[in-house]
Coordinates of all heavy atoms in Angstrom, one line a residue:
L1 N -270.2 -9.0 -47.1 CA -269.5 -7.8 -47.5 C -269.1 -6.9 -46.4 O -268.1 -6.2 -46.4 CB -270.5 -7.1 -48.5 CG -270.8 -7.7 -49.8 CD1 -271.8 -7.0 -50.6 CD2 -269.5 -7.9 -50.7
L2 N -269.9 -6.8 -45.4 CA -269.6 -6.0 -44.2 C -268.4 -6.5 -43.5 O -267.5 -5.7 -43.1 CB -270.8 -6.0 -43.3 CG -270.7 -5.0 -42.1 CD1 -270.7 -3.5 -42.6 CD2 -271.9 -5.2 -41.1
I3 N -268.3 -7.8 -43.3 CA -267.1 -8.4 -42.7 C -265.9 -8.2 -43.6 O -264.8 -7.8 -43.0 CB -267.3 -9.9 -42.5 CG1 -268.4 -10.2 -41.4 CG2 -266.0 -10.6 -42.0 CD1 -268.9 -11.6 -41.3
R4 N -266.0 -8.3 -44.9 CA -264.9 -8.1 -45.8 C -264.4 -6.6 -45.7 O -263.2 -6.4 -45.7 CB -265.3 -8.4 -47.2 CG -264.2 -8.2 -48.3 CD -263.1 -9.3 -48.2 NE -262.2 -9.1 -49.2 CZ -261.2 -10.0 -49.4 NH1 -261.1 -11.1 -48.7 NH2 -260.3 -9.8 -50.4
F5 N -265.4 -5.7 -45.5 CA -265.0 -4.3 -45.5 C -264.1 -4.0 -44.3 O -263.1 -3.4 -44.4 CB -266.3 -3.5 -45.4 CG -266.2 -2.0 -45.1 CD1 -265.9 -1.2 -46.1 CD2 -266.3 -1.5 -43.8 CE1 -265.7 0.2 -45.9 CE2 -266.1 -0.2 -43.6 CZ -265.8 0.7 -44.6
F6 N -264.6 -4.5 -43.1 CA -263.8 -4.2 -41.9 C -262.5 -5.0 -41.7 O -261.6 -4.5 -41.0 CB -264.7 -4.5 -40.6 CG -265.8 -3.4 -40.4 CD1 -267.1 -3.7 -40.6 CD2 -265.4 -2.2 -40.0 CE1 -268.1 -2.7 -40.4 CE2 -266.4 -1.2 -39.8 CZ -267.7 -1.5 -40.0
T7 N -262.4 -6.1 -42.4 CA -261.1 -6.9 -42.4 C -260.1 -6.5 -43.5 O -259.1 -7.1 -43.5 CB -261.5 -8.3 -42.4 OG1 -262.2 -8.7 -43.6 CG2 -262.2 -8.8 -41.2
T8 N -260.5 -5.5 -44.3 CA -259.6 -5.1 -45.4 C -259.3 -3.7 -45.4 O -259.2 -3.0 -46.4 CB -260.1 -5.6 -46.8 OG1 -261.5 -5.1 -46.9 CG2 -260.1 -7.1 -46.9
G9 N -259.3 -3.0 -44.2 CA -258.9 -1.6 -44.1 C -259.9 -0.6 -44.5 O -259.6 0.5 -44.9
G10 N -261.2 -0.9 -44.4 CA -262.2 0.0 -44.9 C -262.5 1.1 -43.9 O -263.0 2.2 -44.3
L11 N -262.3 0.8 -42.6 CA -262.7 1.8 -41.6 C -262.1 3.2 -41.7 O -262.8 4.2 -41.6 CB -262.5 1.2 -40.2 CG -263.1 2.0 -39.0 CD1 -264.6 2.2 -39.2 CD2 -262.7 1.4 -37.7
P12 N -260.7 3.3 -42.0 CA -260.2 4.6 -42.1 C -260.8 5.4 -43.3 O -261.0 6.6 -43.2 CB -258.7 4.3 -42.4 CG -258.4 3.0 -41.8 CD -259.7 2.2 -42.0
M13 N -261.1 4.7 -44.4 CA -261.8 5.4 -45.5 C -263.2 5.8 -45.1 O -263.6 6.9 -45.5 CB -261.8 4.5 -46.7 CG -260.5 4.0 -47.2 SD -260.5 2.7 -48.5 CE -261.3 3.6 -49.8
L14 N -263.9 5.0 -44.4 CA -265.2 5.4 -43.9 C -265.2 6.7 -43.1 O -266.1 7.5 -43.2 CB -265.8 4.2 -43.1 CG -267.3 4.4 -42.7 CD1 -268.2 4.5 -43.9 CD2 -267.7 3.2 -41.8
K15 N -264.2 6.8 -42.3 CA -264.1 8.0 -41.4 C -263.9 9.3 -42.2 O -264.2 10.4 -41.7 CB -263.0 7.8 -40.4 CG -263.3 6.7 -39.4 CD -262.1 6.6 -38.4 CE -262.4 5.5 -37.3 NZ -261.3 5.3 -36.4
T16 N -263.4 9.2 -43.4 CA -263.1 10.4 -44.2 C -264.0 10.7 -45.3 O -263.9 11.7 -46.0 CB -261.6 10.4 -44.8 OG1 -261.6 9.3 -45.7 CG2 -260.6 10.1 -43.7
M17 N -265.1 9.9 -45.4 CA -265.9 10.0 -46.6 C -266.7 11.3 -46.6 O -267.2 11.8 -47.6 CB -266.9 8.8 -46.7 CG -267.9 8.7 -45.6 SD -268.9 7.2 -45.8 CE -269.8 7.7 -47.3
G18 N -266.9 11.9 -45.4 CA -267.6 13.2 -45.4 C -266.7 14.4 -45.4 O -267.2 15.5 -45.3
G19 N -265.4 14.2 -45.6 CA -264.4 15.3 -45.5 C -264.3 16.0 -46.8 O -265.1 15.9 -47.7
G20 N -263.2 16.8 -47.0 CA -263.0 17.6 -48.2 C -262.5 16.7 -49.3 O -262.1 15.5 -49.1
P21 N -262.6 17.2 -50.5 CA -262.2 16.4 -51.7 C -260.8 16.0 -51.7 O -260.4 15.0 -52.4 CB -262.5 17.4 -52.9 CG -262.5 18.7 -52.3 CD -262.9 18.6 -50.9
D22 N -259.9 16.6 -51.0 CA -258.5 16.3 -51.0 C -258.0 15.6 -49.7 O -256.9 15.3 -49.5 CB -257.6 17.5 -51.2 CG -258.0 18.3 -52.5 OD1 -258.2 17.6 -53.5 OD2 -258.1 19.5 -52.4
D23 N -259.0 15.2 -48.9 CA -258.7 14.6 -47.6 C -258.6 13.1 -47.6 O -258.1 12.5 -46.7 CB -259.7 15.0 -46.5 CG -259.7 16.5 -46.2 OD1 -258.7 17.1 -46.5 OD2 -260.7 17.0 -45.7
T24 N -259.0 12.5 -48.7 CA -259.1 11.0 -48.7 C -257.8 10.3 -49.0 O -257.7 9.1 -48.8 CB -260.1 10.6 -49.8 OG1 -259.7 11.1 -51.0 CG2 -261.5 11.1 -49.5
Q25 N -256.8 11.0 -49.4 CA -255.5 10.4 -49.7 C -255.0 9.7 -48.4 O -254.4 8.6 -48.5 CB -254.5 11.4 -50.2 CG -253.2 10.7 -50.8 CD -253.5 9.7 -51.9 OE1 -254.2 10.0 -52.8 NE2 -253.0 8.5 -51.8
H26 N -255.2 10.3 -47.3 CA -254.7 9.7 -46.0 C -255.4 8.4 -45.7 O -254.8 7.5 -45.3 CB -255.0 10.7 -44.8 CG -254.3 12.0 -45.0 ND1 -253.0 12.2 -45.0 CD2 -254.9 13.3 -45.1 CE1 -252.7 13.5 -45.1 NE2 -253.8 14.1 -45.2
A27 N -256.7 8.3 -46.0 CA -257.4 7.1 -45.9 C -256.9 6.0 -46.8 O -256.8 4.9 -46.5 CB -258.9 7.3 -46.1
H28 N -256.6 6.4 -48.1 CA -256.1 5.5 -49.0 C -254.8 5.0 -48.6 O -254.4 3.8 -48.8 CB -256.1 6.1 -50.4 CG -257.4 6.2 -51.1 ND1 -258.1 5.1 -51.5 CD2 -258.2 7.3 -51.4 CE1 -259.2 5.4 -52.1 NE2 -259.3 6.8 -52.0
D29 N -253.9 5.9 -48.1 CA -252.6 5.4 -47.6 C -252.7 4.4 -46.5 O -252.0 3.4 -46.5 CB -251.8 6.7 -47.1 CG -251.4 7.6 -48.2 OD1 -251.5 7.2 -49.4 OD2 -251.1 8.8 -47.9
A30 N -253.6 4.6 -45.6 CA -253.8 3.7 -44.5 C -254.4 2.4 -45.0 O -254.0 1.3 -44.6 CB -254.8 4.3 -43.5
H31 N -255.3 2.5 -46.0 CA -255.9 1.3 -46.7 C -254.8 0.5 -47.4 O -254.7 -0.7 -47.2 CB -256.9 1.8 -47.6 CG -257.4 0.8 -48.6 ND1 -258.4 -0.1 -48.3 CD2 -257.1 0.5 -49.9 CE1 -258.6 -0.9 -49.3 NE2 -257.8 -0.6 -50.3
D32 N -253.9 1.1 -48.1 CA -252.9 0.5 -48.8 C -251.9 -0.2 -47.9 O -251.4 -1.3 -48.1 CB -252.1 1.4 -49.8 CG -253.1 1.9 -50.9 OD1 -254.1 1.2 -51.2 OD2 -252.7 2.9 -51.5
A33 N -251.5 0.5 -46.8 CA -250.6 0.0 -45.8 C -251.2 -1.3 -45.2 O -250.5 -2.3 -45.0 CB -250.3 1.0 -44.7
H34 N -252.5 -1.3 -44.9 CA -253.1 -2.4 -44.4 C -253.0 -3.6 -45.3 O -252.7 -4.8 -44.9 CB -254.6 -2.1 -44.1 CG -255.4 -3.3 -43.5 ND1 -255.9 -4.3 -44.3 CD2 -255.7 -3.6 -42.2 CE1 -256.5 -5.2 -43.5 NE2 -256.4 -4.8 -42.3
H35 N -253.3 -3.4 -46.6 CA -253.2 -4.5 -47.5 C -251.7 -5.0 -47.7 O -251.5 -6.2 -47.9 CB -253.7 -4.1 -48.9 CG -255.2 -4.0 -48.9 ND1 -256.0 -5.1 -48.8 CD2 -256.1 -3.0 -49.0 CE1 -257.3 -4.8 -48.8 NE2 -257.4 -3.5 -48.9

């Protein structure tokens, strides 16, 4: 699961998990672009 996480764009989302409630869209955009 850890390998799958890092090879499918998880790191940008991990970096924003402690941010504000409206900050995660950037991480999702990066995640979607990766996929």
Side-chain angles (χ1 to χ4, degrees):
L1 292 174
L2 189 63
I3 293 171
R4 181 73 176 185
F5 173 83
F6 284 109
T7 57
T8 53
L11 188 58
M13 298 171 67
L14 185 63
K15 291 179 179 179
T16 63
M17 64 181 296
D22 304 317
D23 294 340
T24 57
Q25 189 61 48
H26 300 295
H28 282 294
D29 292 342
H31 168 82
D32 293 340
H34 179 278
H35 284 293

